[in-house]
Amino acid sequence: MNPPKLDVCIEGYNIEQTDFYISCLLKKCVNLSSACEKSEMQIKKLEEENKRLKNDLSFLFKRAENSFNSRLDRIENQLKRIENGLGFSETSDLSEKICEISAHSRCDDGINEKEVKEKLSEIREMLDSLNS
């Protein structure tokens, strides 16, 4: 607020004008202090909410991590079942066994077609359970 022009008279300043000016300054001071208090309260609330959200966020990350780990464990177990269903041992390399099987299937060294179809259907069932 720009100070108003105060009329100077013989007795000094006009009392009504100075009283009005001082009352306006007091009102502005009261309004600013109440606005400051409201702002401080709002800042405190926001800080508390940020702290709570930060704690919730870490909880959500941990829960998501646990969920992913459990899904990975299920997938790993399903893959082990598939390997066991195909007759692979845990120590053997899967890619080497697949190459061996594909090489043998080309030679057709007496692999029972019925057994292969059964194992493939078991694998499909396991993969379907993984998809669901």
Side-chain angles (χ1 to χ4, degrees):
M1 173 181 174
N2 293 331
K5 293 183 180 180
L6 297 175
D7 295 330
V8 180
C9 57
I10 297 174
E11 296 87 23
Y13 291 102
N14 186 339
I15 294 173
E16 291 175 9
Q17 285 179 339
T18 54
D19 287 345
F20 174 76
Y21 179 66
I22 290 173
S23 68
C24 286
L25 288 176
L26 288 174
K27 285 179 186 177
K28 283 195 177 238
C29 183
V30 169
N31 288 341
L32 288 174
S33 66
S34 68
C36 184
E37 288 175 10
K38 288 178 184 178
S39 296
E40 287 175 356
M41 289 173 42
Q42 192 172 15
I43 287 171
K44 286 180 183 178
K45 285 181 184 178
L46 290 173
E47 286 175 344
E48 290 172 2
E49 186 177 358
N50 283 342
K51 190 175 183 179
R52 183 180 51 82
L53 289 174
K54 184 179 178 182
N55 291 336
D56 289 348
L57 185 65
S58 64
F59 172 73
L60 290 174
F61 280 141
K62 287 192 183 273
R63 190 169 68 179
E65 180 183 7
N66 291 337
S67 175
F68 289 138
N69 287 335
S70 68
R71 288 179 184 175
L72 286 174
D73 289 341
R74 280 190 286 166
I75 291 171
E76 187 177 333
N77 290 335
Q78 291 289 345
L79 288 174
K80 285 180 183 178
R81 286 178 50 199
I82 290 171
E83 288 177 355
N84 291 337
L86 290 174
F88 301 138
S89 65
E90 291 184 20
T91 59
S92 66
D93 186 22
L94 183 60
S95 60
E96 291 176 9
K97 290 292 185 177
I98 290 174
C99 291
E100 288 177 19
I101 289 175
S102 64
H104 286 123
S105 65
R106 291 184 192 134
C107 299
D108 194 24
D109 59 352
I111 295 177
N112 190 353
E113 190 174 328
K114 185 177 179 181
E115 288 179 28
V116 172
K117 287 183 180 180
E118 288 175 0
K119 287 187 179 185
L120 285 175
S121 67
E122 289 175 15
I123 291 171
R124 284 188 188 111
E125 289 174 7
M126 289 179 200
L127 289 175
D128 288 338
S129 69
L130 279 175
N131 287 333
S132 61

